[in-house]
Amino acid sequence: CRRSSSIQRGPFSSSSRSITCSSSTLMEPPRPPLLCVGLLLLVELLLPPPTLAESDDQACLSNLRRSLTDPNSSLRNWTRANFAAPCNGFTSYLQGVTCNNGRIYKLSLAGLALGGAISPYVSNCTNLQSLDLSSNQLSGPVPSELSALLNLAVLNLSSNRLTGPIPPQLALCAYLNVIDLHANLLSGPIPDQLGLLVRLSTFDVSYNRLEGPIPVLLANRSGLAAGLPRFNASSFIGNRDLYGYPLPPMRGKGLSVLAIVGIGLGSGLLSLVLSFTAVCIWLRVTEQAAMMTNDEGKVSHLMPDY
């Protein structure tokens, strides 16, 4: 703004002052110092780029590879360069990876003698519809993070060495059609929540170490609500402490081996004692009878004749 003043002298002298401001001066915001602009540009360059859907698949594959051992080098093309772009439309050059529209659609690594554990980062493959890691040597638990795979339809982890419980969170995968966990070392009960998976057509937890009752909604019993899954005994056999229809009811606890051996030894010892006692009694009775016979003879010999 610019201020000006004028003074007129005379009989009717007066003074006036005016302030003149240009409109451009009032509307223009203050300009930031060049140093601030430079710092903002530097921070923007240092920050990582926004996370894209492809980086989810990259994290899924890279972490899964780190958690696995590969004695036969079946995953030789699972490299960092391929992790950055695992899919090219419907094409993937990674062993066992099937793509659909640029995302991982299917992951099948069955029968490759893979060891190690299943990485929970598999849940980053959010478009995954089929996960098959069967017939390997995988150990450790079934990750509860698999519940984040909301599009998952097939889960096959059979014929491994997986331990721990079956995570009830799998019931959140509402599109599951297949759950195959047979021939592992899984323990604990079968979660009741799995009976609510109305799309489930294949369910196999046979030959594990599961215990407790079979959930009613998974049993092949007539009279259940229409549309709920039902499975027969072949889905549950091979679990010694699992009971309930379609398996036999809960059995009473049998005697342990030590108890059976103790009972046998006790019975034998008791029989031996009884036999020995009977022999002693028989000998004593026989001896007394003989003594009485001899005494009678002596008495008759000493008595006088009448």
Side-chain angles (χ1 to χ4, degrees), residues 118-274:
I118 303 174
S119 171
Y121 283 91
V122 172
S123 60
N124 281 43
C125 290
T126 52
N127 268 32
L128 198 64
Q129 297 189 28
S130 177
L131 177 61
D132 186 356
L133 302 176
S134 61
S135 302
N136 285 294
Q137 300 175 15
L138 301 176
S139 58
V142 178
S144 59
E145 289 82 358
L146 295 180
S147 61
L149 300 175
L150 301 181
N151 297 312
L152 193 65
V154 176
L155 177 63
N156 189 352
L157 305 178
S158 62
S159 300
N160 281 287
R161 300 173 182 173
L162 300 175
T163 56
I166 300 174
Q169 293 88 342
L170 291 178
L172 296 176
C173 303
Y175 292 100
L176 272 173
N177 290 279
V178 175
I179 296 179
D180 192 349
L181 303 174
H182 83 270
N184 277 286
L185 303 173
L186 299 173
S187 58
I190 300 175
D192 293 330
Q193 294 89 331
L194 298 185
L196 300 176
L197 293 169
V198 296
R199 296 174 180 263
L200 201 60
S201 58
T202 299
F203 182 73
D204 193 348
V205 293
S206 59
Y207 299 101
N208 278 280
R209 298 176 178 178
L210 300 173
E211 60 186 21
I214 296 174
V216 175
L217 295 180
L218 291 174
N220 187 14
R221 186 191 295 271
S222 60
L224 293 177
L228 292 177
R230 305 184 186 100
F231 305 98
N232 57 33
S234 64
S235 295
F236 308 103
I237 60 173
N239 295 278
R240 187 178 61 180
D241 295 323
L242 200 63
Y243 61 88
Y245 194 89
L247 296 182
M250 181 174 61
R251 295 168 297 187
K253 294 293 183 180
L255 295 175
S256 65
V257 175
L258 291 177
I260 294 174
V261 172
I263 292 173
L265 291 175
S267 301
L269 183 61
L270 181 61
S271 300
L272 182 62
V273 170
L274 292 175

Side-chain angles (χ1 to χ4, degrees), residues 60-166:
C60 167
L61 296 175
S62 60
N63 284 281
L64 179 60
R65 180 64 188 91
R66 278 194 290 268
S67 69
L68 299 176
T69 60
D70 182 21
N72 297 333
S73 299
S74 302
L75 305 180
R76 63 177 63 89
N77 60 355
W78 280 48
T79 61
R80 182 178 299 179
N82 288 332
F83 293 155
C87 291
N88 182 13
F90 292 87
T91 304
S92 175
Y93 301 102
L94 293 175
Q95 167 73 25
V97 174
T98 303
C99 295
N100 182 16
N101 198 24
R103 296 297 309 278
I104 296 178
Y105 166 78
K106 183 178 180 181
L107 190 57
S108 179
L109 302 175
L112 300 180
L114 301 176
I118 303 174
S119 171
Y121 283 91
V122 172
S123 60
N124 281 43
C125 290
T126 52
N127 268 32
L128 198 64
Q129 297 189 28
S130 177
L131 177 61
D132 186 356
L133 302 176
S134 61
S135 302
N136 285 294
Q137 300 175 15
L138 301 176
S139 58
V142 178
S144 59
E145 289 82 358
L146 295 180
S147 61
L149 300 175
L150 301 181
N151 297 312
L152 193 65
V154 176
L155 177 63
N156 189 352
L157 305 178
S158 62
S159 300
N160 281 287
R161 300 173 182 173
L162 300 175
T163 56
I166 300 174

